[in-house]
Amino acid sequence: MTALATSFAAIDAANAHDPDMVEDQPASLLYGQRMTAEQTRLFPDARAALQIAARGQHIERWVLRRADYPEGREGYLTWRRDLARHHADRVGNIMATAGYDQPEIDAAHRMLLKQGIKRDPDVQALEDVICFVFLKWYFQPFSTTQSPAKLERIVQKTALKMSPEARARVLEEFDLPAPFDGFFKA
């Protein structure tokens, strides 16, 4: 088995324990598979670190529950930072076990911590994949849980995280209602 296949198998094995189920399978496992599918479609020549970071974006997401953190923005941001560190550390350990060298592990770590977004092409590529997965698979059910004003802010923030190329591709691939489509225009 290649180092990439070994890493994917380890991430999938960890995510198979997710108690949250979606479409009769563990939510994190399904999310990782969707991330890989979109990463492969959007960035078919991606380096191994990006492929592994995409697959491991939500590794063991359930171990740090939002409910265990204080209410409000500060609690939310602390939870997100802790979760990102957990994802980066777990993926790094998996990559080391699979035989990757430290520079490749460090690259995946930076991607998962979003260090260098808008400056590092790999970090930006991962963010673009994350946004595509959200729009393709999670936006519709999520939209029913938010007020129109809050949903509009979330979609606007999503568009701002994306590269200009990814925003243009969103307009080609998705039929977004107004005013959402305007957020993706250059």
Side-chain angles (χ1 to χ4, degrees):
M1 195 181 306
T2 67
L4 181 63
T6 299
S7 297
F8 277 8
I11 291 166
D12 290 351
N15 282 339
H17 297 289
D18 189 343
D20 298 326
M21 302 295 282
V22 174
E23 298 179 15
D24 296 324
Q25 57 185 313
S28 295
L29 181 63
L30 179 61
Y31 181 83
Q33 293 166 348
R34 288 173 171 172
M35 286 289 291
T36 293
E38 285 302 296
Q39 173 271 301
T40 301
R41 186 176 73 81
L42 296 170
F43 302 98
D45 299 323
R47 66 192 279 190
L50 176 55
Q51 293 178 56
I52 296 167
R55 185 64 152 249
Q57 165 70 14
H58 279 180
I59 189 169
E60 300 175 341
R61 185 177 176 90
W62 68 94
V63 302
L64 296 173
R65 292 277 187 195
R66 173 64 182 101
D68 294 336
Y69 287 78
E71 291 294 321
R73 182 163 172 74
E74 185 176 329
Y76 173 76
L77 294 175
T78 301
W79 170 69
R80 290 288 304 265
R81 276 191 302 272
D82 290 352
L83 208 51
R85 267 189 243 109
H86 175 74
H87 299 323
D89 291 344
R90 282 291 283 130
V91 166
N93 289 336
I94 286 169
M95 290 177 74
T97 300
Y100 283 98
D101 62 15
Q102 198 59 50
E104 200 71 357
I105 294 167
D106 291 345
H109 200 264
R110 281 191 307 277
M111 288 178 224
L112 290 165
L113 294 177
K114 300 184 181 185
Q115 295 174 338
I117 194 166
K118 299 288 186 186
R119 296 183 315 274
D120 181 315
D122 286 330
V123 176
Q124 187 59 55
L126 179 61
E127 188 64 33
D128 289 346
V129 171
I130 292 166
C131 293
F132 264 84
V133 168
F134 169 69
L135 291 169
K136 184 173 186 176
W137 297 102
Y138 300 96
F139 175 71
Q140 182 56 39
F142 176 76
S143 68
T144 64
T145 68
Q146 305 298 314
S147 71
K150 187 171 183 182
L151 187 61
E152 190 171 322
R153 285 192 307 273
I154 290 167
V155 172
Q156 186 174 31
K157 287 179 181 179
T158 298
L160 289 172
K161 292 178 189 178
M162 299 176 82
S163 67
E165 298 81 12
R167 285 194 308 271
R169 196 160 178 176
V170 164
L171 292 172
E172 293 170 9
E173 295 184 19
F174 296 96
D175 186 24
L176 295 173
F180 300 148
D181 62 342
F183 299 139
F184 294 91
K185 295 179 180 169

